[in-house]
Amino acid sequence: MSPLGWALAVLALLCGCSPRPAAAGPRTCAPSTAALDSSAAAAALEGAYRIRLVAGAGPRRDSSTDGTLTLEQPAGGSPVEPPRRYVLRGYGDIRLDEVGAAADDVASQDAARPGVLAFDLPAGGQGRRILLRLGAEANRQDVMRVEGAYTILRVREIRPDGFVGDWTSGSPLPVAEGHFCAWRADTTDT
């Protein structure tokens, strides 16, 4: 290979391996310190979103990934007994590995192993917690998982144009974390 060929190959490797800056893209995504309002409900998140995850710690610190996320009401009853534990089911196109999160199939639309599940949980005397669990393997409905890889998004604030919060990922201990922003797909970039 010629010296120019070697230089281009090295440049391609370096460009492909470096993290993308967190501020990339038309919108900024800053961490939220808000506490979720006690009247917040996961059902309000139904819809299509553009989403950005930003890594604050872990192997890909200061990197980000942009993708899509769709959350829907489950059709009919849930395959889970007793009654459904989740409020919304969904899927997305999110490259979790770009922020050091546990990679799993977020695109799955299979009801028995959906790419995303949204949970609406009481938080004791502290209001509500809305969690989104990403990954078809983590969301399998035919097994009760005790351990394994996970990526969890914790909603901290619901806004008119979307929602924001923080995320943690690991297997079983956290290895990466950061914050995220999700904007409704029908909103314009500002």
Side-chain angles (χ1 to χ4, degrees), residues 50-174:
R50 288 166 295 153
I51 188 166
R52 175 172 298 145
L53 274 68
V54 180
R60 304 283 299 196
R61 183 176 182 203
D62 297 328
S63 64
S64 68
T65 188
D66 292 315
T68 61
L69 175 69
T70 300
L71 298 171
E72 306 169 327
Q73 292 286 334
S78 167
V80 179
E81 295 296 335
R84 183 174 65 234
R85 297 172 294 150
Y86 55 88
V87 177
L88 299 172
R89 184 170 56 209
Y91 55 92
D93 180 12
I94 308 167
R95 295 284 315 268
L96 297 174
D97 58 327
E98 289 186 1
V99 290
D104 197 348
D105 180 10
V106 180
S108 175
Q109 295 183 43
D110 182 343
R113 40 184 315 277
V116 181
L117 288 178
F119 299 87
D120 197 344
L121 307 168
Q126 305 166 349
R128 306 218 46 85
R129 289 185 303 154
I130 298 175
L131 305 177
L132 279 69
R133 187 169 60 200
L134 306 183
E137 189 62 28
N139 291 330
R140 284 180 53 183
Q141 301 298 300
D142 61 341
V143 296
M144 177 61 77
R145 285 178 37 127
V146 177
E147 59 183 35
Y150 65 90
T151 300
I152 299 288
L153 280 57
R154 286 176 298 279
V155 177
R156 294 179 71 70
E157 186 177 357
I158 298 175
R159 300 174 176 170
D161 67 340
F163 58 99
V164 298
D166 50 64
W167 62 270
T168 304
S169 183
S171 177
L173 298 176

